[in-house]
Amino acid sequence: MRILGIDPGYALIGFGLVEAERGQARMLTYGTVKTPAGEPLSKRLYQISLDMEQLFTVLKPDVISVEELFFRNNLKTGIAVAHGRGVILCAAEKSHIPLFEYTPSQVKISVTGYGRAGKRQVMDMTRRLLRLQAIPRPDDAADALALALCHARSATSRIPKTARIRETI
C-alpha cells in the first residue's frame, strides 16, 4: 500500500510517501510544497490545489493520511492553516483517493508509543522505523512521513477503527 502523509499548511506543506507491506514500511520520497510569500491567501490556496492534484498524479498513492488540526497559540495562523487543509481535503476527494485523518496524539502514539512524545522523539523514531540515515528535513516533511507511518500501523491494527484517542491539552 502506498501511503501519502501530508502535513497541512498554507506556506509550506510537507509530504511523505511510504510503502507499507506486511508490517514493514519503507520511505519512497518526501519533500515540501511551498507557496509564494506575499501573495494573497486566495492565490496561495489555489496554488495548493494545483500542486496537490499534480502530487497525487505523480506519486499515485493508494491512500492519503492528513493531520487533524489542533490549535494551541496563534489563532490567525491556525485559521490560514485550516484553509490550506481544506483545500488539501478537497483535492483528495476530487482525485478519488481515500483519506484518513489523525490527531497529533494518534501520530505520537503510533510512532513512539507515547501520546505526549516530543517532536524530536517522533522525528527520531520516524527515522528509525524507516531505517533512514538522518531525520528528514524540513520538519514538515518529517511530520508527513510520521503521518504516513501512523496510517500504515493503524491500517493493520486490531484496535477497532471506531476507537478514538482523546486529544490532550
Side-chain angles (χ1 to χ4, degrees):
M1 173 185 343
R2 292 168 65 94
I3 306 163
L4 180 61
I6 299 178
D7 182 36
Y10 69 96
L12 194 65
I13 299 104
F15 70 87
L17 185 66
V18 168
E19 187 169 66
E21 198 172 307
R22 296 188 186 115
Q24 298 293 313
R26 69 182 180 100
M27 187 275 300
L28 299 177
T29 190
Y30 65 87
T32 56
V33 172
K34 298 177 186 178
T35 62
E39 290 288 335
L41 182 60
S42 60
K43 284 190 176 190
R44 292 175 103 169
L45 295 175
Y46 179 69
Q47 188 62 52
I48 291 169
S49 175
L50 296 176
D51 291 345
M52 288 297 108
E53 290 175 19
Q54 181 181 14
L55 192 69
F56 301 160
T57 300
V58 171
L59 298 182
K60 297 176 179 37
D62 296 312
V63 298
I64 297 171
S65 175
V66 178
E67 186 175 44
E68 286 186 9
L69 293 184
F70 179 68
F71 295 98
R72 190 173 285 250
N73 295 330
N74 191 337
L75 188 59
K76 184 177 179 181
T77 299
I79 290 171
V81 171
H83 287 313
R85 183 176 179 278
V87 169
I88 293 165
L89 298 180
C90 186
E93 186 65 30
K94 185 176 176 184
S95 298
H96 305 290
I97 301 170
L99 178 81
F100 297 86
E101 301 174 60
Y102 297 96
T103 66
S105 290
Q106 286 174 307
V107 175
K108 291 174 182 181
I109 287 171
S110 179
V111 174
T112 69
Y114 178 55
R116 291 188 175 195
K119 188 169 188 69
R120 293 288 161 215
Q121 287 175 287
V122 175
M123 293 169 86
D124 188 54
M125 280 305 296
T126 298
R127 179 192 64 79
R128 290 175 188 216
L129 291 168
L130 292 173
R131 296 173 297 286
L132 303 174
Q133 294 284 332
I135 293 171
R137 296 284 181 224
D139 291 357
D140 305 84
D143 291 346
L145 286 168
L147 278 153
L149 276 175
C150 177
H151 181 73
R153 294 174 152 223
S154 174
T156 58
S157 173
R158 293 178 187 231
I159 298 171
K161 299 281 188 231
T162 56
R164 299 282 298 174
I165 297 168
R166 189 175 154 266
E167 185 65 40
T168 56
I169 296 176

